[in-house]
Amino acid sequence: MASQYAQNPRRGSQSPSALAARIMNDNDSGYGSVVEGEGDHPAVAILNPGQATDADRRLWASHVSQLHYNQNRVALGRSIAHAVDTLKKFQHNNSKWPAHYPSVQRVVEAPSLARSQSSGAEDAHCPSPMRRSTTSQSDIGSSQQPTTPTTPEPRLVTPQIAQEFNVLKLDLKLGALSPSELVHSLEKSSVASLLDGKISQSIKHLSALRERIDDTASKVLVTGDLNAGKSTFCNALLRKKVLPEDQQPCTSIFCEVLDARDNASVEEFHAIPIDGPAYDRNDESTYDVYPLEKLEEIVIENDRYSQVKIYVEDARSVDQSLLRNGVVDIALIDAPGLNLDSLKTTAVFARQEEIDVVVFVLSAENHFTLSAKEFIWNAAHEKAYIFIVVNRFDNIRDKARCQRLILEQVASLSPRTHQDAKELVHFVSSNAVIDGEDTAKCQEFDRLEQSLRRFVLEKRARSKLAPAKTYLLNVLEDLETLAEVNREATSTELSKVRDELDKIAPEFEKSVKARTEVSEDVDSSIDETCTTVYKHARKAIAGTISRLNERSPVKYDGVFSAYAFAEATKNAMLEKIQDSVTASEEFSRTQTAEGVAQIRSMGVLHLGNEYVEKAFRPEYMFSRKKHLLSKSIKTEINAFDFFDFDKQEKVAGMSLSLTVATVAGGQVFGISSWIDGLWKATNFLGPRTTKKLIVPAIVIAGVAGAIFLISDIPNAVPRKLAKKIRKELEEMDYVHSNSERITKECRKVLGFPADELRAAFHKSIEKQGTTIDEKRRTEKESEVAFKYFGGLLKDATSQKKSVMGLDLEGPAVAL
């Protein structure tokens, strides 16, 4: 069997266990074992059990285990691809409908709850779908401690779910605000944006995990606090001093140690410049070459290079060497101290995406610091098992107490690691290994090294597949939690928006109907008020004009003041007309104020607080258009306005002179009644007597007529002026024009509150319509979201169940 690998100088002679691991790796790579003859293959030998040796049986068992490993690897790869696709769909949906996010509440004295180590990958009896870790005794104790009450968060979930929320946790920190208060204070879109970033990081990490489980090589990260002895430990693994050692920090960049045969068996190191191109060993432009003697000078306080790749030769056999194991390529990465500075610590955290195994080195004198706990919490997202090296154990006097305290801390930080502490937690003194003076210390370190070899090479289900499974389960459980929370949130929101629609839809229809009715009522009220105002104004002004000559208030002081009497009488008549117009305007103000009040009452009745009343000032009506009748009437006073003559009827048979005199006298003096009496007297007296009396009679009649006309001036002037004013006002259509003017002012003023009421109705209905449209849009979005999150919950639960069903280590194979 060994002859199968004789042609490969890197493999050399191998033990059965190394050969088994080699076959596992060949199968893992996808090419299978390269055999030169069927008779040499262990599978052929096993056909004849009597001829099979123990080595053949072990090799056959390893081969069967490898088949199981490959099946799990392929299944995990499919699950990762499915999870990535699910996360991308969720991310797309989150951009359209921001997801509700659970609150994050920090647990003061129970970090193991806040940073749970889901071994759920290996636990077939997970307590509940919401649990993410195996609860340790410290978890139980801390969970019973009272917590500080927080402000209720209506759209967030319970603190228990928040504490268990893992990979997609938005653990924000700002000042004195707690994470839950800070998350709750952000806008929903801002939380959704932060969640989008977390999803992107998770997708990137899952893609890196997919590449890691398909890669046959393994990367081992050696990390820990500052000056914990990481470089010393790496040198002890290599059995020679390669990395610089000092009591002070001496490693400021990542140092990746590789087998020199990957570099044509040349021992040197390649320094990769900061912000330079990606490292390619075959392209010397991507790195600078230095001899190993220059390593200390480069890695201490370096600001030119981001990392170095160190190629060293390990002369030990493949059963002893970690780098030269004859099975897989292993890179040993020495990281800067976690608490060196924030940028270096962040870089160490970021490198976890490409790391298969974490070897955490801590000083036995310092135990786990805050930075160490933070790193292990972060690593626990995918790595349930962490290889822990307690260095400088020889400096401790009470070793039993030291072991007990550290193991208690391990139990709270990584429960699965604590369960397998004999294989994963080692107390050593790396300084004594290279010197080789203390046999007991060297033997303890040898046991550590063999455990690390088994963990990296033989138990790849734990070191390579289990991290992927753990991280995948954490992501799926977070998705399950988010889906359940959002399904409940969308269901609540859907019920709420439907209830609101059922309430506001009838109100909207009622408002639309009320707007039509109120608009008709307002128009009817305005028309009624204007009709009343017009009729009142027309009646008042026309009545005043018809009674102009009644009881003139002007005093007549004699014939010598007749013209002044006439002028005063005219002005009094015009003033009387103006007073009637003013009274009509005042009546219009009163009616308009009542109409405005009626319109306002309609607005308050139907719109309530949405209707805003504006102040109405009745005194401002008719202020811009004063009616000045004295300037518009052109009636002039003449002599005929002082005398009021009746028309003289013609009398047949009268002499021409008498007729002329009588007619002239009747036209000039207006004394026809006297002429008639005189004519009758003449007929009675006879012609002769009449002739004698005619002249005296005419004189007497003239004097009497003149006296009568002069005495009739106080009556004649009002009659004549009233007649002239009526005629002129009739020609001007004075009554109608003023009544129409007053009515138009009333209609105009009433139109303002009417328009405001209609505008308020329109605004209210438009607002209600917009609200209904928004509610219906929200209802539709909520229906789509509820359906989506229901499907997401079902999908995440199904995926999680499938992943949990993967038994990575598999059943023992009977030999």
Side-chain angles (χ1 to χ4, degrees):
M1 289 184 293
S3 63
Q4 299 179 40
Y5 305 96
Q7 296 179 359
N8 191 336
R10 292 196 55 185
R11 293 173 180 173
S13 99
Q14 298 179 351
S15 66
S17 60
L19 184 58
R22 177 71 255 172
I23 292 179
M24 289 172 65
N25 180 64
D26 289 339
N27 283 280
D28 189 24
S29 65
Y31 296 100
S33 296
V34 180
V35 296
E36 297 178 357
E38 293 182 357
D40 293 333
H41 197 279
V44 177
I46 208 66
L47 291 175
N48 189 351
Q51 298 178 0
T53 64
D54 291 341
D56 292 335
R57 291 189 180 93
R58 287 193 297 270
L59 192 59
W60 179 79
S62 299
H63 187 66
V64 172
S65 298
Q66 178 61 26
L67 292 177
H68 186 74
Y69 174 89
N70 282 340
Q71 290 176 350
N72 288 331
R73 178 176 58 82
V74 173
L76 271 177
R78 287 196 299 264
S79 296
I80 289 175
H82 193 173
V84 168
D85 184 60
T86 302
L87 283 171
K88 288 181 178 178
K89 291 179 180 178
F90 177 64
Q91 191 175 32
H92 176 69
N93 186 78
N94 184 53
S95 64
K96 296 189 302 181
W97 198 90
H100 293 267
Y101 186 80
S103 63
V104 180
Q105 297 187 4
R106 186 179 301 278
V107 180
V108 178
E109 296 184 9
S112 59
L113 283 178
R115 307 283 184 171
S116 55
Q117 320 288 323
S118 177
S119 67
E122 291 76 35
D123 289 341
H125 52 283
C126 191
S128 73
M130 291 299 174
R131 293 296 299 168
R132 280 167 169 67
S133 67
T134 301
T135 306
S136 65
Q137 293 298 324
S138 61
D139 297 334
I140 297 174
S142 60
S143 64
Q144 295 175 351
Q145 295 178 2
T147 57
T148 303
T150 58
T151 304
E153 302 174 358
R155 68 177 178 85
L156 304 179
V157 299
T158 61
Q160 181 180 0
I161 296 178
Q163 292 170 6
E164 295 167 354
F165 212 67
N166 210 343
V167 176
L168 301 179
K169 178 182 294 184
L170 300 183
D171 195 359
L172 304 180
K173 301 175 182 177
L174 181 63
L177 289 177
S178 67
S180 61
E181 293 171 334
L182 184 57
V183 171
H184 183 60
S185 67
L186 297 177
E187 293 289 338
K188 190 176 180 182
S189 57
S190 300
V191 176
S193 178
L194 293 173
L195 180 58
D196 183 84
K198 279 288 186 180
I199 295 172
S200 298
Q201 293 177 8
S202 184
I203 291 173
K204 180 181 177 182
H205 195 90
L206 284 172
S207 300
L209 284 176
R210 179 69 182 272
E211 294 179 1
R212 276 167 48 189
I213 65 175
D214 288 339
D215 187 7
T216 58
S218 293
K219 290 187 177 181
V220 179
L221 177 69
V222 179
T223 186
D225 284 329
L226 196 67
N227 203 29
K230 299 181 296 298
S231 299
T232 304
F233 171 74
C234 291
N235 289 337
L237 286 177
L238 300 173
R239 292 302 192 277
K240 62 179 179 180
K241 291 186 178 181
V242 176
L243 298 172
E245 302 175 13
D246 197 354
Q247 288 83 4
Q248 297 182 5
C250 57
T251 304
S252 61
I253 59 176
F254 288 93
C255 299
E256 186 172 342
V257 183
L258 302 164
D259 191 353
R261 284 175 295 178
D262 293 333
N263 192 44
S265 298
V266 177
E267 287 193 320
E268 61 185 13
F269 71 91
H270 299 167
I272 303 172
I274 297 175
D275 298 329
Y279 173 74
D280 183 359
R281 194 185 66 82
N282 297 319
D283 184 2
E284 294 187 0
S285 64
T286 62
Y287 58 88
D288 297 332
V289 181
Y290 292 97
L292 293 181
E293 292 77 13
K294 292 283 187 178
L295 182 60
E296 183 173 355
E297 178 183 341
I298 295 298
V299 300
I300 296 178
E301 298 181 1
N302 167 75
D303 59 357
R304 293 176 52 195
Y305 301 106
S306 60
Q307 62 175 316
V308 295
K309 293 189 178 283
I310 307 167
Y311 295 93
V312 299
E313 184 71 33
D314 191 345
R316 292 181 297 168
S317 65
V318 293
D319 288 336
Q320 296 177 338
S321 174
L322 187 64
L323 296 180
R324 186 186 174 190
N325 54 74
V327 180
V328 296
D329 295 329
I330 292 180
L332 193 63
I333 304 174
D334 183 19
L338 291 176
N339 45 4
L340 180 61
D341 61 56
S342 59
L343 292 178
K344 301 295 183 182
T345 302
T346 303
V348 175
F349 276 54
R351 289 296 295 267
Q352 288 195 72
E353 294 182 358
E354 58 187 85
I355 298 302
D356 295 300
V357 178
V358 172
V359 177
F360 195 89
V361 180
L362 72 151
S363 173
E365 303 163 350
N366 297 330
H367 297 194
F368 288 95
T369 62
L370 289 177
S371 58
K373 293 178 182 179
E374 185 73 21
F375 178 85
I376 294 177
W377 285 333
N378 189 71
H381 290 164
E382 65 169 68
K383 295 175 177 64
Y385 298 96
I386 297 177
F387 205 90
I388 296 178
V389 177
V390 183
N391 201 11
R392 299 171 184 165
F393 191 60
D394 54 336
N395 295 335
I396 303 300
R397 289 187 304 170
D398 191 348
K399 292 182 172 51
R401 180 174 177 272
C402 178
Q403 287 184 336
R404 178 175 56 81
L405 293 176
I406 289 179
L407 288 175
E408 286 177 356
Q409 289 181 301
V410 171
S412 64
L413 294 172
S414 180
R416 300 295 293 179
T417 301
H418 181 263
Q419 290 179 9
D420 204 3
K422 291 183 178 180
E423 284 289 322
L424 299 177
V425 182
H426 296 269
F427 297 82
V428 297
S429 299
S430 302
N431 289 329
V433 175
I434 298 178
D435 299 335
E437 297 178 355
D438 193 327
T439 304
K441 294 179 181 178
C442 291
Q443 289 177 350
E444 179 60 36
F445 195 88
D446 290 340
R447 284 192 293 271
L448 176 153
E449 189 171 15
Q450 290 303 316
S451 296
L452 182 59
R453 281 175 56 85
R454 285 192 298 271
F455 189 68
V456 176
L457 301 177
E458 298 177 16
K459 296 184 179 181
R460 285 184 301 157
R462 286 189 177 184
S463 64
K464 208 167 186 65
L465 297 186
K469 180 180 178 182
T470 302
Y471 187 83
L472 183 58
L473 277 176
N474 285 335
V475 171
L476 292 175
E477 289 175 354
D478 285 353
L479 278 177
E480 189 180 36
T481 300
L482 280 173
E484 185 173 358
V485 168
N486 281 271
R487 188 184 64 168
E488 293 177 359
T490 51
S491 176
T492 303
E493 188 164 355
L494 187 58
S495 300
K496 179 181 178 182
V497 75
R498 284 174 176 171
D499 292 341
E500 291 174 348
L501 279 173
D502 292 340
K503 180 180 179 180
I504 64 178
E507 293 180 356
F508 176 74
E509 296 176 359
K510 182 179 179 181
S511 297
V512 173
K513 183 179 180 181
R515 176 179 63 177
T516 303
E517 295 177 353
V518 169
S519 180
E520 293 176 355
D521 291 344
V522 167
D523 291 339
S524 177
S525 175
I526 292 175
D527 291 341
E528 183 179 351
T529 301
C530 291
T531 300
T532 301
V533 168
Y534 179 83
K535 290 181 178 180
H536 180 274
R538 188 174 184 87
K539 182 180 179 181
I541 298 173
T544 300
I545 293 174
S546 66
R547 297 188 300 272
L548 281 178
N549 58 334
E550 295 181 359
R551 295 187 301 274
S552 174
V554 181
K555 182 179 180 182
Y556 179 67
D557 294 330
V559 67
F560 296 104
S561 61
Y563 186 84
F565 170 76
E567 187 70 26
T569 300
K570 173 188 172 183
N571 292 335
M573 290 180 177
L574 295 180
E575 185 177 355
K576 194 174 184 180
I577 296 173
Q578 284 183 336
D579 290 342
S580 68
V581 173
T582 303
S584 299
E585 291 177 348
E586 186 62 32
F587 179 80
S588 175
R589 286 191 184 95
T590 303
Q591 294 296 311
T592 302
E594 293 178 359
V596 169
Q598 186 176 0
I599 293 173
R600 285 177 174 174
S601 64
M602 293 182 186
V604 174
L605 176 64
H606 293 279
L607 297 177
N609 295 330
E610 293 184 11
Y611 179 72
V612 180
E613 298 184 22
K614 291 187 177 180
F616 170 60
R617 306 292 294 273
E619 61 271 18
Y620 289 160
M621 291 180 65
F622 310 107
S623 59
R624 295 184 180 180
K625 294 182 179 180
K626 291 290 185 180
H627 177 66
L628 301 177
L629 185 60
S630 59
K631 293 184 179 180
S632 58
I633 294 295
K634 299 180 181 180
T635 301
E636 296 180 0
I637 300 174
N638 53 40
F640 293 100
D641 293 331
F642 294 94
F643 307 103
D644 186 12
F645 301 103
D646 293 331
K647 292 184 178 180
Q648 177 65 44
E649 299 179 357
K650 294 183 178 180
V651 181
M654 188 178 185
S655 61
L656 180 60
S657 58
L658 184 59
T659 301
V660 172
T662 302
V663 172
Q667 291 179 351
V668 176
F669 300 103
I671 54 175
S672 58
S673 58
W674 292 0
I675 299 299
D676 290 340
L678 184 60
W679 175 256
K680 291 178 181 179
T682 301
N683 290 334
F684 176 75
L685 295 176
R688 185 173 293 178
T689 304
T690 301
K691 289 179 180 180
K692 292 180 180 180
L693 297 175
I694 190 169
V695 174
I698 291 174
V699 172
I700 294 171
V703 172
I707 294 172
F708 176 78
L709 290 175
I710 293 172
S711 63
D712 194 46
I713 287 176
N715 298 319
V717 169
R719 288 196 298 271
K720 295 295 293 288
L721 289 178
K723 187 175 181 181
K724 291 175 68 175
I725 291 174
R726 287 193 196 99
K727 183 178 180 180
E728 188 171 355
L729 291 179
E730 185 177 354
E731 291 175 354
M732 294 170 53
D733 198 12
Y734 181 81
V735 175
H736 172 72
S737 60
N738 274 279
S739 300
E740 185 68 17
R741 175 181 64 82
I742 294 172
T743 304
K744 284 183 178 180
E745 182 74 9
C746 175
R747 186 179 296 276
K748 177 182 177 182
V749 173
L750 289 176
F752 290 123
D755 291 342
E756 290 174 0
L757 179 59
R758 292 189 182 95
F761 259 106
H762 177 76
K763 184 178 180 181
S764 176
I765 292 174
E766 186 179 40
K767 181 180 179 181
Q768 291 178 359
T770 302
T771 302
I772 289 178
D773 291 341
E774 291 177 353
K775 297 296 182 184
R776 287 175 178 167
R777 183 170 58 253
T778 303
E779 179 187 26
K780 185 177 180 180
E781 291 176 352
S782 298
E783 288 175 349
V784 174
F786 179 77
K787 183 178 179 181
Y788 167 76
F789 285 115
L792 177 62
L793 177 61
K794 183 178 179 180
D795 187 30
T797 302
S798 175
Q799 289 187 58
K800 186 184 74 171
K801 183 177 179 181
S802 176
V803 174
M804 289 182 68
L806 295 177
D807 186 5
L808 298 183
E809 298 186 14
V813 179
L815 298 179

